[in-house]
Amino acid sequence: MVTDIAIADTAKFYPIEKFIQDEIQYVDLRDFNITETKLNESGDTAFAKEDHTSSQLTKDEFISAAREIKNAAVWFSKNKYLYKETVFQDLGTESYTINYQSDEADIKNIDLLLNEQTNLPKRLFIREITREEGNTMTVQYSWIAGKQFTISKSMKNGKTLIWQSSKTIEWNNKP
């Protein structure tokens, strides 16, 4: 007789998804001035075009933009079995760095810097790389706790940059 046995998930990875959700709620519950700065650039230097804009965001627009990073964190949480975790102490930044790496997933690398005294996140970096039809798309998510996040994207064909873009969303306590 064969029976299925449920195996408990014992991996104790840092709850990145909860960190992002807490940050979103922190902004949503306050009257912050939210600013988005965008930079778009074509890759060919002979025809390089750069577009730089800055604008104010509503809370709903902020939440919508942050959702992209939260979705990556949710995916990671559901697929953490694909990742190897390493932890080291960085005396220079007075933080612990938790690193997650995988060769089996599009999210290749996650670095989380925790405050050495409080074990609360200071910074989060997520790198996602996908390849399709000779092109490589790289997405870098960067989050500074209580301050801002950046989503940077680039598309390359081989070593040739086709385009790149970034948007940084900042918030502060000035109404």
Side-chain angles (χ1 to χ4, degrees):
M1 177 179 189
V2 176
T3 59
D4 288 335
I5 299 172
I7 298 173
D9 182 0
T10 59
K12 299 293 183 194
F13 286 36
Y14 195 90
I16 295 170
E17 176 184 351
K18 182 176 179 350
F19 163 65
I20 297 296
Q21 183 58 43
D22 288 350
E23 287 279 297
I24 291 169
Q25 285 180 322
Y26 176 76
V27 174
D28 190 34
L29 295 173
R30 286 158 181 81
D31 192 23
F32 287 151
N33 189 21
I34 305 168
T35 306
E36 177 183 60
T37 304
K38 288 183 178 181
L39 176 62
N40 296 301
E41 184 177 339
S42 62
D44 187 340
T45 55
F47 302 101
K49 275 188 163 179
E50 192 174 298
D51 180 25
H52 184 271
T53 60
S54 186
S55 60
Q56 297 296 311
L57 294 184
T58 66
K59 287 181 185 182
D60 287 341
E61 291 169 326
F62 165 82
I63 291 168
S64 179
R67 189 172 294 126
E68 182 175 346
I69 299 173
K70 184 179 175 193
N71 288 345
V74 168
W75 187 92
F76 167 74
S77 293
K78 291 179 179 176
N79 294 281
K80 60 189 175 187
Y81 64 91
L82 296 171
Y83 291 84
K84 177 184 174 200
E85 178 186 61
T86 56
V87 180
F88 66 91
Q89 183 179 15
D90 186 339
L91 298 175
T93 61
E94 297 181 355
S95 61
Y96 295 105
T97 299
I98 301 173
N99 174 264
Y100 303 106
Q101 285 188 310
S102 176
D103 292 329
E104 301 175 46
D106 288 345
I107 296 177
K108 300 295 184 197
N109 192 54
I110 298 175
D111 286 310
L112 179 66
L113 280 71
L114 300 178
N115 180 299
E116 190 175 78
Q117 303 300 317
T118 64
N119 285 331
L120 294 175
K122 295 175 9 176
R123 292 179 178 254
L124 170 67
F125 303 96
I126 301 172
R127 179 178 295 266
E128 181 177 339
I129 299 173
T130 55
R131 291 180 176 81
E132 186 176 311
E133 298 178 16
N135 292 329
T136 302
M137 169 78 127
T138 302
V139 181
Q140 176 75 38
Y141 302 109
S142 173
W143 196 294
I144 301 174
K147 185 175 179 180
Q148 72 179 38
F149 68 84
T150 301
I151 301 172
S152 300
K153 298 179 180 183
S154 66
M155 177 73 75
K156 288 185 176 180
N157 186 304
K159 293 186 178 187
T160 303
L161 179 66
I162 298 170
W163 60 265
Q164 63 185 5
S165 68
S166 71
K167 66 178 168 184
T168 300
I169 298 179
E170 300 176 274
W171 56 93
N172 58 44
N173 59 4
K174 297 176 185 172

